[in-house]
Amino acid sequence: MSAGDRKNGGDKPKEAAVWPEVERAECLARGAALKWASGVFCRPEHLERLSQYKKRESQRTASIHTRLKSMVQSYLEGVGWGLEQLREARDELREVSLTLKEAGLESDGNADCLASLEKLREVSVDHRQLFAAVSNLPRLYAIRGMVLETERLVESRRLLEAHARLMDLERWQDDILWQLHGAAGTAGSSLSSEDTELVAKYFSGVGQLVDALGKELWAVVSSSLALARQNPTPFVSAVRIVEREEALDRALLAERGGGGRPLPAGRPRCWKACFFQVLEEAVSARLRSVSYLHTRGPGLAGHLSALQHAVMADLATVRHLLEHCVPPHYQLTAAYLRASHRCLHTHLAQVSSWDLESGEIFAVLNWVLHIYNSPDMMGHPELVTESDRSELGPLISAEGVEQLQSKYVQSVRKSVSEWMHKALQVELQDWQRDQEPDTDHEGFYQTSLPTIITQMLEENARVALMIGESLRDQTIQMGLYEVENLLNRFREALVEFGKEHRRDPTNNNKNKFYLHYLLASISNCIILKKSTESLQQQQSSRFAGMFSRTPPNPLAALDRAVRRACRLVMDQLLLELQPFLPSLLTRPWLVQGDPVPKLCSVLESHLDLYGRVRPPCRQRLQEEAQWLMVVEYVRALMQKKLVCRSSEERRQLAQQMILDDQLLREVFHSLQESEVSLPDVNPLALLPVLADFIRLKDPGMLTLEVSGLVAKYPDISEEHVSVLLDVRGDVSRDIRWAVLDLLEQSAPPLPVGYRPIFTDILVPPSTLAFCLPTAKCA
């Protein structure tokens, strides 16, 4: 290591201790250079470009040194200029300090001269106070007389003259107080409380005059509507006084803002704001003066009509008379509109809080939503331009309207529920009448129940629509709920009606028209269904999405009631057929043909009554009667009351079944000719198929016959086929096993829409003979 290196090495710890950032920067620079060099000279052949890199780095280092020197030079020049400025400022401060010291010495020398002027100042203050007292003596002596004169003018309602005198008194009082305040300020003290109390004593009547004048002024403003039709002069005088006071308030506030006189006591009076406040109170008083007698009940609509006429009459007076008595910037009509709106808003909020009936709520909603904004009232073309409707806001808030609508719906629901209950009680009483139900112009049975319900629901929907679609939708929704409840009670009443009839079916006097009223009930349900669908179509489509509760389903309740009534009708048909069914498919029947003609007679009478039922239930009853007759016929066959002993008996049995089928088809001939579509499986077609099965001569063909039977009636079971084989009486054990085995293997599923017929027919259990295992039997 050389001496220079040792020297540098010896200086490094000291330099690092003073500038640690320099050592850190040097380390970082060396590390970066080493990293760069290792990346550039990673191969021996790269060393050939070492001279180029060295030259480029030397040029860059020289450029950096040059810029550093230039920057340091500029900084040094700025520091030198700053030091020069500081030296000049120090010299100037030294000169100012010397000057101030000289001025202080001169001031101390003149302090003795000021004491001689103090006595002159006191004399000047006394002179000013004496001059103010002498100049104000005439005013002070005249105050009492002016106060009395002003009081007389106020009492006689010569308001302009009274106000002029009052302004003079107030100006005198303000001038005296200002003079005293100025004298006190010159003396170097504030106005004493004795001086203030002395002035207040002299002008003690001025404050009372202000109150008396204001009282008369507001009395004139309150009665402005009445004065406008008789003599508007007092109202004009009141407005001029208000304008004078407003001008005085503005002038006094401007003087105070400019550093002049302080505001006198009681200023600013803001009589213009008081003017509009009194006007609003007068409007409220006039609205309260509208008769409140008979406000509740039907009188509420009359009360609202009286409010409408009172408001419009006052507005006409304001527009045509009072508006010309005030400056244009008062916008008196708009102010009266705002005052009337606020008063009506408060009054209707009070009315809405009452326990109102539906008619009263309707009157309020109709007045608020339609009459108030109509051209007959606030929507009048001459009033629309006077004020902005958005500033006034709604007469009743949206929440208040919604609450009123909810109260209306609840009130109507209570009334509808009561009327429906009464109508149902009348319906139950009609069922006990000893005469047929009434018929409409088409000859269908009906009672008064659907007419009452339909008219009530449609009338409520029509009335609610006069308020708006929202209320109409809520009312219809409520009506549908009540219809659903009514139909549930109606179905329960039908069940009780049927139970009562079954308890004493032989009492012809009491149950003579039982079936007729069941059919009338079915027709009633059809009418109610059309009415319900009409109401549902009237509802807005958006209402369904807004409804949070489970929507009503009156159509489902209607369907349940109709199905219950149809079931009772079929029970009554079965009850009347029951005496003749035991002799069906017996040996006497095989010989004589009875009792099928009697059964057909019963069916004909029932089908004739079914014609008094509105479609489509008429066709439904006819179809149900057809199914019932076939099911009972096949049930009688399944009881094996007749077992054939020979082929001749099988032929006679099949022939008689064909004849019975023809008789039944003649009875249902009208059903077959109707335009109503019959079910996919005609139950009457089953009888010829069973007749062919029994008439078949070759038992070996029974397997094929059973296959066709299963294909047409997939709900037939092994028990049914086994009974049919027993009725034939000629089937061997092998054939029976083959048929039953085929039936077991080819049990097809029931097709979609297929109505089972054999499922409703239970096969009676067979009574097999058996013996106990005794020794004798063995």
Side-chain angles (χ1 to χ4, degrees):
M1 179 181 297
S2 63
D5 293 338
R6 285 193 302 269
K7 183 179 180 181
N8 293 336
D11 293 342
K12 279 184 180 180
K14 183 178 180 181
E15 182 182 355
V18 178
W19 302 101
E21 293 83 359
V22 175
E23 184 179 1
R24 189 181 303 110
E26 184 177 355
C27 291
L28 291 175
R30 290 181 179 276
L34 182 60
K35 183 178 180 180
W36 175 82
S38 61
V40 173
F41 303 107
C42 57
R43 294 183 180 181
E45 57 267 19
H46 292 167
L47 294 175
E48 297 176 357
R49 290 180 292 178
L50 178 61
S51 59
Q52 298 177 3
Y53 285 116
K54 185 175 181 181
K55 183 178 180 181
R56 187 180 65 183
E57 292 301 323
S58 299
Q59 293 175 353
R60 182 183 300 176
T61 303
S63 174
I64 292 173
H65 286 170
T66 302
R67 282 183 290 172
L68 286 175
K69 289 178 181 179
S70 175
M71 182 176 63
V72 171
Q73 183 65 29
S74 63
Y75 282 159
L76 291 176
E77 291 177 356
V79 170
W81 180 82
L83 292 175
E84 184 65 24
Q85 293 293 324
L86 288 175
R87 282 192 293 271
E88 293 178 0
R90 185 188 59 184
D91 297 339
E92 292 178 357
L93 286 175
R94 187 180 294 110
E95 294 178 359
V96 169
S97 177
L98 293 174
T99 304
L100 287 175
K101 186 180 293 184
E102 293 175 358
L105 293 174
E106 293 180 1
S107 176
D108 293 339
N110 295 328
D112 298 336
C113 298
L114 293 177
S116 61
L117 296 176
E118 190 66 30
K119 192 171 184 179
L120 182 61
R121 183 183 295 110
E122 294 176 358
V123 172
S124 175
V125 170
D126 293 340
H127 181 268
R128 287 187 180 183
Q129 290 178 348
L130 290 173
F131 177 79
V134 170
S135 62
N136 287 310
L137 277 177
R139 295 181 180 179
L140 294 175
Y141 284 120
I143 288 174
R144 183 61 182 170
M146 287 189 66
V147 169
L148 294 176
E149 179 65 18
T150 307
E151 288 179 352
R152 184 182 62 81
L153 293 174
V154 170
E155 291 174 356
S156 60
R157 281 205 170 180
R158 296 164 62 180
L159 301 180
L160 284 175
E161 298 179 32
H163 186 255
R165 300 291 181 85
L166 179 62
M167 289 176 64
D168 291 339
L169 289 172
E170 288 182 333
R171 185 168 57 254
W172 290 357
Q173 181 180 9
D174 294 343
D175 289 344
I176 292 174
L177 287 174
W178 176 246
Q179 291 176 7
L180 293 176
H181 178 74
T186 305
S189 62
S190 60
L191 187 63
S192 64
S193 60
E194 291 82 1
D195 295 339
T196 306
E197 292 176 358
L198 181 61
V199 174
K201 181 179 179 181
Y202 272 101
F203 291 91
S204 60
V206 174
Q208 298 175 0
L209 283 176
V210 173
D211 296 338
L213 179 62
K215 184 177 180 180
E216 291 294 326
L217 199 68
W218 306 139
V220 170
V221 174
S222 299
S223 58
S224 57
L225 290 172
L227 293 174
R229 301 184 183 97
Q230 301 170 3
N231 180 22
T233 303
F235 179 74
V236 175
S237 300
V239 173
R240 292 181 62 184
I241 292 173
V242 170
E243 284 296 295
R244 289 179 183 176
E245 289 293 330
E246 286 295 307
L248 280 174
D249 286 343
R250 288 194 296 271
L252 292 173
L253 288 173
E255 288 185 8
R256 181 189 180 187
R261 299 185 181 186
L263 280 177
R267 291 287 182 177
R269 291 204 174 109
C270 303
W271 274 13
K272 184 177 181 181
C274 294
F275 172 86
F276 288 106
Q277 182 179 355
V278 171
L279 181 67
E280 181 170 350
E281 292 175 356
V283 172
S284 178
R286 284 187 64 82
L287 293 182
R288 287 196 301 270
S289 66
V290 176
S291 176
Y292 272 70
L293 296 177
H294 310 294
T295 301
R296 301 301 302 273
L300 182 58
H303 170 69
L304 295 175
S305 179
L307 282 178
Q308 175 187 354
H309 289 96
V311 170
M312 294 309 294
D314 291 346
L315 278 172
T317 302
V318 172
R319 289 200 335 267
H320 298 131
L321 298 177
L322 293 182
E323 188 73 55
H324 303 292
C325 300
V326 299
H329 62 84
Y330 271 50
Q331 298 181 348
L332 195 61
T333 303
Y336 186 87
L337 279 173
R338 290 191 295 270
S340 301
H341 184 83
R342 285 192 290 266
C343 294
L344 289 174
H345 174 78
T346 303
H347 177 58
L348 289 175
Q350 178 186 3
V351 172
S352 301
S353 64
W354 296 345
D355 188 13
L356 302 175
E357 298 294 334
S358 58
E360 298 171 314
I361 299 174
F362 174 83
V364 173
L365 288 174
N366 184 53
W367 198 84
V368 169
L369 299 178
H370 300 296
I371 296 178
Y372 184 73
N373 296 315
S374 67
D376 295 333
M377 201 169 176
M378 295 303 179
H380 193 280
E382 296 182 6
L383 297 178
V384 171
T385 57
E386 293 292 341
S387 64
D388 188 2
R389 298 293 299 161
S390 60
E391 293 181 1
L392 297 179
L395 196 58
I396 295 182
S397 64
E399 294 79 6
V401 171
E402 186 174 351
Q403 291 176 2
L404 279 178
Q405 290 183 350
S406 299
K407 290 171 65 176
Y408 175 82
V409 172
Q410 293 300 322
S411 179
V412 172
R413 182 169 194 168
K414 181 180 178 181
S415 176
V416 167
S417 178
E418 292 176 356
W419 275 102
M420 286 187 175
H421 179 73
K422 293 178 181 178
L424 183 58
Q425 294 302 316
V426 173
E427 177 75 7
L428 299 183
Q429 294 175 5
D430 288 344
W431 290 353
Q432 307 300 329
R433 292 194 305 174
D434 192 18
Q435 63 182 29
E436 277 190 276
D438 299 329
T439 57
D440 59 8
H441 65 283
E442 296 178 312
F444 298 127
Y445 282 145
Q446 70 172 17
T447 61
S448 60
L449 178 66
T451 304
I452 294 174
I453 301 303
T454 301
Q455 291 179 354
M456 182 173 15
L457 295 179
E458 291 179 352
E459 179 67 16
N460 285 327
R462 183 188 64 80
V463 172
L465 183 59
M466 296 173 64
I467 301 301
E469 291 187 358
S470 174
L471 185 60
R472 188 269 314 272
D473 294 339
Q474 295 181 46
T475 304
I476 291 177
Q477 194 82 345
M478 173 275 300
L480 295 178
Y481 272 116
E482 291 302 317
V483 168
E484 184 177 6
N485 295 334
L486 172 71
L487 290 171
N488 290 332
R489 297 196 301 268
F490 183 75
R491 182 170 59 87
E492 295 172 358
L494 285 174
V495 173
E496 291 297 325
F497 190 40
K499 290 181 180 179
E500 182 181 355
H501 176 72
R502 287 193 295 272
R503 281 195 293 267
D504 192 10
T506 59
N507 190 351
N508 294 329
N509 294 330
K510 186 177 181 180
N511 302 286
K512 183 177 180 180
F513 298 101
Y514 168 75
L515 179 60
H516 302 72
Y517 280 102
L518 285 179
L519 300 177
S521 300
I522 296 175
S523 292
N524 291 343
C525 290
I526 299 304
I527 298 174
L528 286 176
K529 180 180 180 181
K530 294 180 180 178
S531 175
T532 300
E533 292 174 345
S534 175
L535 288 174
Q536 288 178 333
Q537 291 173 0
Q538 294 180 34
Q539 282 186 299
S540 303
S541 57
R542 57 185 176 85
F543 181 74
M546 297 168 56
F547 201 73
S548 58
R549 293 177 53 191
T550 303
N553 195 359
L555 295 180
L558 271 168
D559 185 61
R560 291 193 295 269
V562 169
R563 283 191 280 109
R564 173 55 61 184
C566 290
R567 184 67 262 170
L568 292 175
V569 171
M570 291 299 104
D571 291 344
Q572 180 63 20
L573 174 60
L574 181 60
L575 183 64
E576 296 185 18
L577 294 175
Q578 198 65 44
F580 310 106
L581 292 177
S583 57
L584 188 63
L585 290 167
T586 59
R587 291 201 176 272
W589 163 82
L590 186 62
V591 176
Q592 302 173 3
D594 289 336
V596 174
K598 298 177 182 179
L599 294 173
C600 291
S601 176
V602 174
L603 282 172
E604 287 177 356
S605 64
H606 271 254
L607 292 176
D608 183 59
L609 288 176
Y610 297 166
R612 300 295 188 94
V613 179
R614 290 181 173 273
C617 286
R618 176 178 58 192
Q619 290 76 17
R620 179 176 179 177
L621 288 173
Q622 292 170 343
E623 294 172 10
E624 291 296 327
Q626 190 177 8
W627 280 90
L628 175 65
M629 189 64 242
V630 173
V631 167
E632 294 301 324
Y633 194 96
V634 177
R635 182 178 283 116
L637 181 63
M638 292 293 115
Q639 292 176 359
K640 296 190 295 185
K641 291 181 286 186
L642 178 61
V643 177
C644 299
R645 302 171 182 172
S646 61
S647 59
E648 180 62 22
E649 285 189 357
R650 285 192 291 276
R651 185 190 64 77
Q652 291 179 2
L653 175 58
Q655 184 65 28
Q656 190 61 42
M657 291 177 66
I658 294 296
L659 293 176
D660 292 346
D661 177 63
Q662 292 175 357
L663 290 175
L664 293 175
R665 285 181 183 275
E666 290 177 0
V667 172
F668 293 105
H669 181 67
S670 60
L671 175 63
Q672 295 176 356
E673 289 183 349
S674 65
E675 297 180 358
V676 181
S677 60
L678 293 176
D680 297 336
V681 179
N682 186 2
L684 287 176
L686 176 61
L687 300 185
V689 173
L690 296 179
D692 292 341
F693 184 88
I694 294 173
R695 186 170 46 192
L696 188 65
K697 295 181 179 180
D698 185 6
M701 299 295 291
L702 287 175
T703 304
L704 183 60
E705 191 71 20
V706 169
S707 299
L709 185 62
V710 172
K712 292 181 179 180
Y713 304 97
D715 62 317
I716 192 170
S717 64
E718 296 180 12
E719 291 80 4
H720 296 115
V721 175
S722 180
V723 170
L724 292 177
L725 296 177
D726 292 339
V727 170
R728 282 184 57 88
D730 65 338
V731 181
S732 63
R733 182 176 300 176
D734 295 338
I735 295 177
R736 178 186 294 273
W737 284 355
V739 169
L740 295 180
D741 184 59
L742 172 66
L743 187 65
E744 183 179 358
Q745 294 178 2
S746 62
L750 297 181
V752 179
Y754 172 80
R755 180 177 178 180
I757 186 171
F758 284 95
T759 305
D760 298 332
I761 303 172
L762 299 179
V763 177
S766 59
T767 56
L768 298 177
F770 67 95
C771 62
L772 296 175
T774 60
K776 182 177 179 180
C777 182

